[in-house]
């Protein structure tokens, strides 16, 4: 299993908590703000299910932590090791980031012409290119990406490339005051799915992060309808 993200650790791409208050004051930039909001807080309840826990603090490669998709009745909880940017030793990735779940889970699902929803505050160039590659490879037919306007301002070159690529591929993008970190993937007829939520953005992560993986179809449908499609169509 291979990742198309040979990143060097770059201080300019440290996660957002390392920035000063002026850098993250995204409320002050009126030119890129939208009035798009969820009409109310929303929640989704499922029956009590099994839970599995993986401590990734001593393991670093994502494919060492997640060898197969969890059963639909099982949620998988992961703590990452916070080792920083992705790099390789003898050709193998020895760290992982939130964005790496996308190619790994798509491969596990054997996805063809599937659905991919992504929500993040910001992202780096490597993950933006990987997102577009999912469409070019034919694995994803329906792509939707949602970010915060902060991404458009702070990472203008990356954002421009991503948005142009999404538009050229006739896919969807929207920016609004958004801090949700979620990836939702489904097969072509949306009968099988996987959802990952967590604390991290699709960027370099020099600190420990938490993730939850679920293959519960009702969770995917709820996120799709009540969050992603609601905000895309607002």
């Amino acid at each position: 299993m291979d990742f198309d993200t040979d990143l060097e650790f770059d201080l300019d791409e440290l996660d957002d908590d390392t920035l000063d208050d002026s850098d993250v004051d995204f409320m002050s930039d009126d030119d890129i703000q939208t009035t798009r909001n969820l009409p109310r807080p929303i929640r989704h309840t499922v029956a009590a299910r099994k839970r599995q826990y993986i401590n990734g603090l001593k393991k670093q490669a994502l494919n060492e932590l997640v060898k197969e998709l969890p059963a639909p009745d099982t949620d998988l909880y992961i703590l990452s090791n916070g080792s920083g940017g992705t790099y390789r030793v003898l050709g193998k990735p020895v760290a992982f980031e939130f964005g790496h779940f996308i190619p790994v889970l798509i491969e596990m699902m054997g996805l063809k012409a599937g659905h991919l929803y992504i929500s993040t505050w910001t992202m780096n160039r490597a993950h933006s290119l990987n997102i577009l590659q999912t469409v070019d490879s034919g694995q994803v037919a329906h792509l939707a990406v949602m970010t915060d306007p902060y991404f458009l301002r702070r990472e203008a070159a990356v954002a421009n490339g991503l948005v142009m690529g999404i538009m050229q591929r006739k896919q969807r993008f929207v920016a609004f005051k958004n801090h949700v970190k979620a990836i939702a993937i489904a097969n072509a007829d949306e009968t099988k799915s996987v959802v990952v939520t967590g604390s991290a953005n699709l960027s370099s992560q020099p600190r420990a992060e938490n993730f939850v993986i679920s293959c519960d179809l009702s969770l995917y449908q709820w996120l799709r309808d009540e969050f992603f499609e609601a905000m895309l169509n607002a």
Side-chain angles (χ1 to χ4, degrees):
M1 189 173 296
D2 196 18
F3 302 136
D4 188 20
T5 50
D6 290 338
L7 306 180
E8 294 293 330
F9 187 69
D10 186 349
L11 290 178
D12 291 334
E13 289 197 0
L14 282 175
D15 207 25
D16 310 303
D17 291 345
T18 62
L19 305 174
D20 61 36
D21 291 341
S22 63
D23 287 325
V24 298
D25 185 16
F26 50 83
M27 297 296 290
S28 64
D29 197 337
D30 293 335
D31 292 339
I32 56 176
Q33 291 304 308
T34 73
T35 57
R36 190 176 306 226
N37 290 295
L38 284 171
R40 64 190 183 284
I42 59 176
R43 73 176 190 178
H44 177 66
T45 303
V46 297
R49 303 187 303 176
K50 301 175 185 176
R51 293 174 176 85
Q52 294 181 352
Y53 304 93
I54 293 179
N55 186 346
L57 299 177
K58 295 183 180 179
K59 296 180 180 180
Q60 298 180 341
L62 181 56
N63 57 345
E64 291 180 5
L65 297 176
V66 184
K67 299 184 182 298
E68 61 183 10
L69 293 172
D73 67 345
T74 301
D75 288 340
L76 184 60
Y77 290 77
I78 299 175
L79 294 177
S80 72
N81 61 8
S83 61
T86 303
Y87 56 98
R88 290 172 183 264
V89 174
L90 300 178
K92 294 184 177 181
V94 293
F96 75 89
E97 300 167 353
F98 191 29
H100 293 147
F101 282 99
I102 297 171
V104 169
L105 296 177
I106 282 177
E107 184 172 327
M108 286 183 176
M109 292 183 71
L111 203 66
K112 294 181 180 179
H115 302 256
L116 174 58
Y117 293 93
I118 299 169
S119 176
T120 182
W121 190 37
T122 186
M123 73 177 71
N124 63 28
R125 181 174 181 272
H127 293 308
S128 72
L129 294 177
N130 280 346
I131 289 169
L132 296 177
Q133 178 59 31
T134 65
V135 178
D136 295 341
S137 67
Q139 295 169 308
V140 171
H142 305 280
L143 169 67
V145 179
M146 307 196 311
T147 75
D148 192 274
Y150 166 86
F151 169 59
L152 306 180
R153 174 165 55 91
R154 169 74 181 183
E155 303 291 347
V158 176
N160 288 341
L162 176 66
V163 175
M164 286 181 61
I166 288 175
M167 296 300 104
Q168 289 168 353
R169 291 161 177 80
K170 297 182 176 12
Q171 305 299 322
R172 296 183 292 170
F173 173 88
V174 67
F176 59 96
K177 291 183 286 185
N178 180 36
H179 208 250
V180 172
K181 290 77 179 280
I183 297 168
I185 306 172
N187 62 355
D189 61 3
E190 295 182 289
T191 57
K192 294 182 180 179
S193 66
V194 59
V195 169
V196 188
T197 57
S199 60
N201 295 299
L202 271 70
S203 56
S204 299
Q205 288 143 28
R207 53 182 60 83
E209 305 281 359
N210 62 281
F211 307 99
V212 180
I213 303 177
S214 174
C215 291
D216 181 274
L217 186 59
S218 70
L219 175 58
Y220 166 81
Q221 294 168 337
W222 174 75
L223 270 177
R224 178 196 64 194
D225 297 341
E226 301 299 327
F227 179 57
F228 284 105
E229 292 295 342
M231 298 310 295
L232 286 160
N233 296 320

